[in-house]
Amino acid sequence: MKISIITVTYNAASVLSRTLDSVKSQSWQQIEHLIIDGASKDETVSMAETYKAQCPYEVVILSEPDKGLYDAMNKGLRLATGDYLVFLNAGDTLHAADTLETIFRSALPLRYAKNCQLSIVNCQRPGVLYGDTAITDEQGQFLHLRRLRPPKKLSWKSFRQGMLVCHQAFYALTDIAKEIPYDPRYRYSADVDWCIRVMKEAQQRQLPLVNTHAIVADYQEEGQTTIHHRDSLKERFDVMRRHYGLFSTVCMHIWFVFRQLIK
């Protein structure tokens, strides 16, 4: 099983090596690493080229101007050829050296393998594989687990309670993911919308969402949604309204406010 890792970069030389090293250290080497760069002006591309020359697996580097983060992610979707894909942006890391091996084991659990007539490769695969996320500081040191934790059983309705699975810990079946591009109307919350739509499609195809029961991603808390917090909240409200309806969304946001007050 091949896993496509999509890394979006722009002037990311100060944090990129951490990401590249975490991929290169994986025990599971059936990897396609797509580095989608927005025409960086620093050493990002040259670092990626050096990394490519050192790797035994396929590394594709695309550097050109884009229309923003989600436009770049859509480019990665179009290029991906792995069985599953995940977005691991500059500064994010895979949690441990056996993270992709954990994903592989979760993708072909025994209960599916028992039904195979020819080989394990022909088993029905889950629509999504997901896990927990650790929050790190700027040096990549562990701080704490993400406040929103993944549920034991995930469905597209789970995100009414917030984005319970971090984008970097959400491995989507590529056959589904490629049919669902990021919505360019959103600048900060298209990832929430995309995950919900992927899960809806998995349910439509009667494919399970499988919990790896492992920490699979590390990421720095200070991202674009933190910097642009107010705009991000407005977009997330619109995403939830579209998927869950206005009444349900208003009720959940009242609960979010109450939850903050009683902490």
Side-chain angles (χ1 to χ4, degrees):
M1 186 183 81
K2 183 168 70 172
I3 299 174
S4 294
I5 298 174
I6 303 171
T7 299
V8 172
T9 62
Y10 180 70
N11 291 341
S14 62
V15 295
L16 182 59
S17 61
R18 183 187 313 154
T19 304
L20 302 183
D21 288 345
S22 81
V23 178
K24 191 164 57 174
S25 69
Q26 291 299 299
S27 57
W28 184 261
Q29 293 278 292
Q30 298 301 313
I31 300 170
E32 171 188 66
H33 199 172
L34 306 172
I35 300 173
I36 312 299
D37 181 71
S40 290
K41 298 177 176 60
D42 64 1
E43 300 301 312
T44 297
V45 176
S46 62
M47 290 176 64
E49 292 286 359
T50 300
Y51 163 76
K52 179 178 180 178
Q54 297 171 346
C55 291
Y57 46 83
E58 182 180 6
V59 177
V60 176
I61 302 169
L62 175 66
S63 183
E64 62 184 21
D66 56 48
K67 298 176 183 177
L69 175 63
Y70 297 117
D71 178 49
M73 288 183 169
N74 280 336
K75 292 179 183 180
L77 283 178
R78 290 192 290 269
L79 291 173
T81 63
D83 297 281
Y84 286 87
L85 62 81
V86 67
F87 288 89
L88 192 72
N89 292 333
D92 302 329
T93 60
L94 299 167
H95 182 69
D98 65 348
T99 292
L100 294 187
E101 193 170 339
T102 298
I103 296 298
F104 168 72
R105 290 196 301 267
S106 300
L108 296 172
L110 186 60
R111 62 181 177 272
Y112 300 113
K114 285 180 178 177
N115 296 323
C116 293
Q117 298 299 316
L118 297 176
S119 70
I120 198 168
V121 179
N122 293 324
C123 292
Q124 183 189 50
R125 287 174 173 165
V128 173
L129 301 154
Y130 66 97
D132 221 325
T133 304
I135 305 301
T136 66
D137 61 19
E138 292 183 355
Q139 287 71 47
Q141 298 299 310
F142 176 85
L143 295 176
H144 54 82
L145 289 177
R146 187 169 179 259
R147 181 179 61 83
L148 293 178
R149 304 291 299 280
K152 290 183 179 179
K153 291 187 177 181
L154 181 70
S155 79
W156 68 270
K157 296 180 181 179
S158 301
F159 275 31
R160 282 186 295 191
Q161 303 172 53
M163 195 174 187
L164 298 183
V165 178
C166 178
H167 195 212
Q168 294 89 332
F170 188 93
Y171 287 72
L173 188 67
T174 303
D175 286 349
I176 293 177
K178 289 175 75 72
E179 295 181 4
I180 303 175
Y182 288 84
D183 191 333
R185 85 181 82 179
Y186 298 118
R187 295 183 62 193
Y188 311 112
S189 299
D191 53 345
V192 182
D193 174 67
W194 181 79
C195 288
I196 294 171
R197 289 189 289 135
V198 167
M199 290 188 286
K200 280 185 172 181
E201 180 61 26
Q203 177 178 292
Q204 184 69 24
R205 300 188 189 190
Q206 299 184 328
L207 298 177
L209 313 181
V210 174
N211 192 338
T212 64
H213 300 288
I215 302 173
V216 297
D218 295 350
Y219 88 104
Q220 291 184 48
E221 206 162 14
E222 300 300 320
Q224 287 297 307
T225 54
T226 304
I227 298 168
H228 302 280
H229 187 61
R230 184 182 295 273
D231 290 334
S232 173
L233 288 177
K234 290 179 180 178
E235 285 194 357
R236 289 196 180 204
F237 184 91
D238 186 61
V239 168
M240 292 179 69
R241 178 189 59 79
R242 289 177 57 217
H243 289 291
Y244 306 122
L246 180 61
F247 179 76
S248 175
T249 300
V250 170
C251 289
M252 287 307 302
H253 277 74
I254 291 173
W255 163 243
F256 294 157
V257 172
F258 179 73
R259 185 175 62 188
Q260 291 295 322
L261 291 175
I262 64 174
K263 278 186 175 182

